Amino acid sequence: MKIGIYGGTFNPPHLGHLAAARTAVDVLSLDKLLIVPDAIPPHKELPEGTPAPGCRLAMAEKLADAMLLPGVAEVSPMELDRAGKSYTADTLAQLKEEYPGAELWLLMGTDMFLTLQYWREPEKILKLAGICAFGRSEQDGEELFAPQREHLNRAFPGAKLTTITLPGLVDISSTRLRELLARGEGADYLPPAVYGYILMNGLYKTCADLKHLAVPELRACSYSMVLAKRIKHIQGTEEEAVRLAKRWGADENHARRAGILHDCTKYLTGEEHLKVCERYQVPLDSLERAAPKLLHSKTGACIARHIFGEPDEVYEAIFWHTTAKADMTTLEKILYVADYMEPNRDFDGVERLRELAYRDLDSALLLGVETTIQEMRDRQLPVHSNTLQAQTWLREHGVTIER
């Protein structure tokens, strides 16, 4: 088993970290990548205003999730849990005990590689792990790497050393990035979920008004609340909702913002869903209380209204996008259908639904509702009463599914 260890303050983790980590996984054929935030780095003081350890850990977890390598990339709190300064030799020794048969590789940037011989117990580090160093720019190439490799090979015979130059890698220091964030800039250097987490928690002197966010910032906040694997679906629903709004004369901005936020609470636990509903006084029926994970549409609507200041139209569209209901507004129909047939969906009948959505929105809604009813019955699961009421209302108002 090959394990890569990528340590650092991650204050904050940025796209350069992401690209370097992905490259190391590929080049070294790693089976596991451990991202390890420092508690107290031995070579420098944490700057004033550094987020609490829990926040840096959460941002590192979003970095790992953004790699989309489940089972490979993960975050370890081992240094944050350990008292005192975060010495690499101690971390590697602990990992060697946890994974006695593993081949360890320590990942680092150019500056760290060029000073490795001055670290605490460098001989122990090089005995326990191979070193993979990556350059952040064209200037971090062989002109710098080759002499240091030769020096380390002479000083520590048997050391395993690999160096990688990544032209075009995001080249920004964490210090500069923190300065940009304090000025309301810097988003382009960050994974969107990390940027959203920073905005929602007011880190690095950001002072975002969450109730009046522009669309890019709203996207980032939404993405920070879900797993990375969900983002393509959210993007697809946003795009489809806007296209349908144009076709059927609904408010395109409302459709966009509803699409961005519709699944923002998808990954809350059942208990968390129930707490949100209790806090915002959302009445629940017996089915919803028995299966609270069905509640993401209601809790998502609450977050859209109370955290992000979205209007009633957006609230209602999100609230009904899972079950539907009788007598829906155009925007409510649009979000329900967009969520059902956005470009990443792939199931029997989806092409028919897509074609119908732009020809007869009510017929598309009825097809989606009846498909859901049939699927639930096939799985011997209860159908929500609002879904049945939506079907009845549409049928009673003369809606049919065009052939």
Side-chain angles (χ1 to χ4, degrees):
M1 184 183 206
K2 278 189 177 183
I3 301 176
I5 302 97
Y6 193 7
T9 57
F10 300 108
N11 190 24
H14 53 66
L15 292 175
H17 295 129
L18 182 64
R22 280 176 170 160
T23 300
V25 169
D26 291 339
V27 170
L28 297 172
S29 299
L30 296 177
D31 300 295
K32 184 184 290 291
L33 172 68
L34 294 177
I35 296 172
V36 186
D38 295 340
I40 305 173
H43 57 287
K44 60 182 177 182
E45 295 292 327
L46 288 171
E48 183 180 352
T50 292
C55 290
R56 286 197 293 123
L57 185 68
M59 288 190 287
E61 287 171 343
K62 296 192 181 304
L63 177 73
D65 184 48
M67 293 180 67
L68 291 170
L69 292 172
V72 176
E74 62 184 69
V75 176
S76 171
M78 59 188 302
E79 292 191 353
L80 295 175
D81 292 342
R82 193 167 65 223
K85 292 187 175 182
S86 301
Y87 289 109
T88 299
D90 296 337
T91 298
L92 293 176
Q94 183 177 339
L95 288 171
K96 202 66 175 177
E97 289 184 7
E98 291 181 23
Y99 304 95
E103 179 182 339
L104 303 183
W105 282 87
L106 182 64
L107 316 181
M108 63 183 66
T110 304
D111 293 345
M112 296 295 98
F113 181 64
L114 296 179
T115 60
L116 181 57
Q117 61 269 31
Y118 305 117
W119 292 18
R120 184 190 188 198
E121 300 184 277
E123 67 288 343
K124 182 177 179 180
I125 291 171
L126 289 160
K127 182 179 179 181
L128 291 170
I131 305 296
C132 178
F134 29 77
R136 294 187 300 190
S137 67
E138 298 276 7
Q139 289 71 39
D140 288 347
E142 281 300 287
E143 186 176 343
L144 289 174
F145 284 147
Q148 177 67 348
R149 277 201 314 270
E150 293 172 7
H151 172 75
L152 292 175
N153 279 322
R154 287 195 304 269
F156 307 99
K160 294 184 296 184
L161 306 171
T162 296
T163 53
I164 308 168
T165 301
L166 301 174
L169 186 67
V170 171
D171 185 17
I172 187 167
S173 71
S174 294
T175 300
R176 174 61 176 157
L177 183 49
R178 291 190 294 270
E179 292 171 353
L180 290 173
L181 287 167
R183 300 207 313 250
E185 304 171 16
D188 292 344
Y189 295 102
L190 294 165
V194 172
Y195 182 51
Y197 183 88
I198 289 169
L199 293 180
M200 292 191 70
N201 290 277
L203 306 181
Y204 305 113
K205 300 181 181 178
T206 56
C207 300
D209 180 355
L210 297 181
K211 292 187 183 297
H212 298 89
L213 292 175
V215 166
E217 286 73 29
L218 187 68
R219 283 196 193 103
C221 289
S222 173
Y223 299 168
S224 76
M225 299 171 70
V226 301
L227 295 180
K229 65 182 181 181
R230 195 75 188 170
I231 291 175
K232 279 190 176 181
H233 166 70
I234 294 172
Q235 291 171 334
T237 301
E238 175 196 344
E239 294 161 5
E240 199 66 63
V242 171
R243 285 193 290 266
L244 286 169
K246 289 178 180 178
R247 172 66 180 87
W248 299 110
D251 187 302
E252 293 175 28
N253 184 54
H254 286 170
R256 183 178 299 284
R257 297 175 81 89
I260 290 169
L261 291 172
H262 82 285
D263 271 358
C264 67
T265 58
K266 187 73 174 181
Y267 296 100
L268 294 185
T269 64
E271 183 179 354
E272 288 169 334
H273 281 301
L274 292 173
K275 285 182 178 178
V276 172
C277 289
E278 181 180 359
R279 178 177 181 182
Y280 296 114
Q281 300 181 324
V282 177
L284 303 178
D285 60 30
S286 58
L287 175 58
E288 291 164 341
R289 289 191 178 280
K293 287 194 174 182
L294 296 173
L295 295 176
H296 79 276
S297 57
K298 290 178 168 59
T299 54
C302 290
I303 297 303
R305 170 184 277 171
H306 297 285
I307 302 299
F308 297 111
E310 296 300 326
D312 289 346
E313 295 89 340
V314 172
Y315 172 90
E316 296 291 343
I318 296 173
F319 195 94
W320 298 111
H321 87 267
T322 298
T323 63
K325 70 177 182 75
D327 196 14
M328 297 172 76
T329 67
T330 300
L331 183 61
E332 290 163 5
K333 296 172 186 177
I334 282 170
L335 186 62
Y336 180 93
V337 173
D339 175 54
Y340 217 124
M341 57 83 161
E342 56 90 9
N344 299 290
R345 296 289 198 190
D346 183 17
F347 57 87
D348 289 342
V350 70
E351 291 301 333
R352 182 182 179 210
L353 182 59
R354 287 173 180 148
E355 187 275 331
L356 197 56
Y358 289 88
R359 186 156 48 88
D360 187 328
L361 184 60
D362 283 341
S363 292
L365 175 62
L366 180 58
L367 178 58
V369 165
E370 293 193 341
T371 300
T372 296
I373 291 171
Q374 188 60 53
E375 179 184 353
M376 298 301 284
R377 287 174 174 164
D378 289 345
R379 296 167 60 189
Q380 298 184 326
L381 295 172
V383 180
H384 198 283
S385 59
N386 283 314
T387 306
L388 295 171
Q389 290 167 17
Q391 179 192 38
T392 300
W393 191 94
L394 289 165
R395 288 293 188 186
E396 288 179 346
H397 285 76
V399 178
T400 59
I401 298 173
E402 296 184 15
R403 303 299 175 185

